[in-house]
């Protein structure tokens, strides 16, 4: 939740060219996210809702960084369009798949009820690489004015091209792969539904 709430402020800092503070904020968010993930895994605190909110928070921060850095001229506009365009296309596909696989009765209330799972998204290998590259690119781009790295530095330009290529291929992989989106069976849905709390009978 902290990432979602902090994303607009970090974007504002970038637009105001306060790159040092924006970079520090991203580092703090990254460390707290890693700590939260470690605690959740160690104490088995993962949940279906959390599996939806965490990627959404990451995407909110990534989208904010992409737009703000492109607005500030630190990130090529074409690359920003590719990154945002891929996310928009996958979002529309997710809305359609969610409705098509939602167990009946199909209502808007049940559609937006995150406690009723219908599909499971399985990240592809290239999408994992793309996520790592996007994070690296945003971090390097944001750090470049702080440490005086020129925008045409060959390493930064190479990272931009590699990120752009994997963004396109990962998007196509989600849309064409049969393994990326798994439709849950009735048994799997029943297993993931929250169990009703039954009060003990009074004697």
């Amino acid at each position: 939740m902290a990432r979602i709430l902090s994303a607009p402020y970090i974007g504002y800092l970038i637009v105001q060219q306060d790159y040092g503070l924006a970079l520090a904020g991203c580092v703090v968010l990254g460390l707290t996210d890693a700590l939260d993930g470690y605690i959740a895994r160690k104490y088995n605190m993962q949940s279906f809702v959390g599996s939806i909110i965490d990627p959404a928070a990451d995407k909110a921060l990534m989208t904010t960084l992409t737009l703000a850095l492109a607005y500030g001229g630190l990130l090529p506009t074409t690359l920003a369009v590719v990154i945002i365009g891929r996310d928009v296309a996958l979002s529309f596909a997710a809305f359609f798949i969610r409705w098509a696989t939602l167990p009946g009765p199909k209502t808007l209330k049940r559609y937006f009820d995150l406690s009723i799972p219908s599909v499971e998204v399985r990240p592809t290998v290239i999408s994992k690489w793309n996520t790592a590259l996007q994070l690296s690119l945003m971090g390097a781009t944001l750090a470049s004015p702080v440490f005086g790295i020129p925008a045409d530095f060959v390493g930064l330009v190479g990272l931009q091209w590699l990120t752009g290529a994997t963004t396109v291929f990962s998007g196509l992989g989600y849309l064409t792969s049969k393994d990326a989106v798994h439709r849950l069976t009735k048994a799997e849905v029943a297993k993931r539904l929250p169990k009703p709390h039954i009060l003990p009978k009074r004697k």
Side-chain angles (χ1 to χ4, degrees):
M1 188 60 69
R3 281 164 289 163
I4 295 178
L5 297 177
S6 302
Y9 180 62
I10 290 178
Y12 169 79
L13 291 175
I14 295 173
V15 171
Q16 295 299 314
Q17 299 184 2
D18 195 345
Y19 302 121
L21 189 55
L23 180 61
C26 287
V27 171
V28 171
L29 289 176
L31 292 175
T32 55
D33 180 42
L35 180 61
D36 288 343
Y38 171 77
I39 293 174
R41 290 189 297 271
K42 182 175 179 62
Y43 297 100
N44 195 26
M45 297 170 63
Q46 298 102 322
S47 66
F48 174 74
V49 175
S51 69
I52 298 295
I53 293 178
D54 281 347
D58 292 336
K59 192 53 62 180
L61 181 59
M62 185 67 66
T63 300
T64 301
L65 289 173
T66 302
L67 293 174
L69 291 171
Y71 178 84
L74 296 175
L75 192 70
T77 303
T78 303
L79 179 56
V81 170
V82 169
I83 293 174
I84 301 299
R86 175 238 190 204
D87 291 340
V88 170
L90 291 181
S91 296
F92 277 115
F95 283 128
F96 173 76
I97 293 172
R98 168 66 172 169
W99 181 261
T101 59
L102 182 68
K106 295 185 179 183
T107 63
L108 287 178
K109 182 179 180 180
R110 286 172 55 82
Y111 179 89
F112 291 105
D113 188 347
L114 297 181
S115 66
I116 305 177
S118 57
V119 293
E120 180 181 63
V121 178
R122 298 170 176 173
T124 61
V125 174
I126 192 169
S127 72
K128 293 179 180 180
W129 277 103
N130 177 246
T131 299
L133 286 170
Q134 284 192 17
L135 288 171
S136 300
L137 176 62
M138 297 306 157
T141 303
L142 185 54
S144 61
V146 177
F147 297 102
I149 301 173
D152 59 351
F153 176 62
V154 63
L156 192 57
V157 174
L159 185 58
Q160 292 171 357
W161 277 96
L162 188 58
T163 302
T166 56
T167 297
V168 172
F169 285 114
S170 66
L172 293 175
Y174 273 120
L175 296 176
T176 59
S177 175
K178 295 180 179 179
D179 299 325
V181 179
H182 169 63
R183 181 168 183 169
L184 300 177
T185 64
K186 291 183 178 180
E188 290 173 326
V189 171
K191 186 183 298 184
R192 297 176 186 222
L193 287 175
K195 296 179 174 57
H197 180 69
I198 302 176
L199 295 174
K201 294 182 179 180
R202 293 184 178 181
K203 295 182 180 179

